[in-house]
Amino acid sequence: MTVPLDETDKTLDAAHAFDINGPKARLCATEAGGLEIVHQSTLLQIGVYALVAPEPDHQRVNTADELYIVLDGRGWLEVDGERLELREGNAVFVPAGADHRFSAYENLSVLAILARRPG
């Protein structure tokens, strides 16, 4: 059963599958890595983010919550002065407005899930 999120938005996004291995392979094959959006809907944006040393992380503070799921590699995520170790199979939540940067990585790829606000 599908229920609208609120009375102002009666349209829900359609279910669909998307690939993450293709974007991950393309991004990891470059010298700079990068971000490729693999899904965008009313409430979510999902991207594959590959970080390849020595290219620096180009993160910015977001106005929405984020979740990073490590697909491959190792590294650290610094969030408002706290340093969190990352390795394959780990996930980390970053609250909206938190200053954060990936660091000390060689080849790190993550699935980046960003909450979006309707409207």
Side-chain angles (χ1 to χ4, degrees):
M1 178 160 120
T2 306
V3 179
L5 298 173
D6 63 37
E7 292 303 314
T8 61
D9 183 14
K10 302 243 186 243
T11 306
L12 296 178
D13 297 304
H16 65 278
F18 50 89
D19 179 37
I20 60 173
N21 286 326
K24 182 179 81 167
R26 282 191 297 279
L27 293 167
C28 290
T30 71
E31 291 182 15
L35 172 69
E36 185 173 324
I37 303 302
V38 294
H39 166 82
Q40 191 159 299
S41 62
T42 304
L43 298 176
L44 286 177
Q45 182 179 58
I46 302 173
V48 174
Y49 189 35
L51 297 116
V52 179
E55 184 68 22
D57 181 16
H58 298 288
Q59 285 291 330
R60 64 179 198 272
V61 174
N62 290 301
T63 59
D65 291 343
E66 295 178 273
L67 178 67
Y68 295 106
I69 301 169
V70 181
L71 301 172
D72 284 313
R74 298 176 72 97
W76 295 86
L77 182 63
E78 297 173 21
V79 182
D80 285 338
E82 183 178 354
R83 199 164 184 223
L84 306 169
E85 185 178 7
L86 299 175
R87 61 188 138 176
E88 186 176 336
N90 289 150
V92 64
F93 169 76
V94 177
D99 186 27
H100 59 288
R101 296 265 177 282
F102 291 96
S103 64
Y105 53 82
E106 288 188 27
N107 293 303
L108 178 66
S109 59
V110 298
L111 192 63
I113 302 170
L114 176 69
R116 300 180 69 189
R117 299 196 173 136

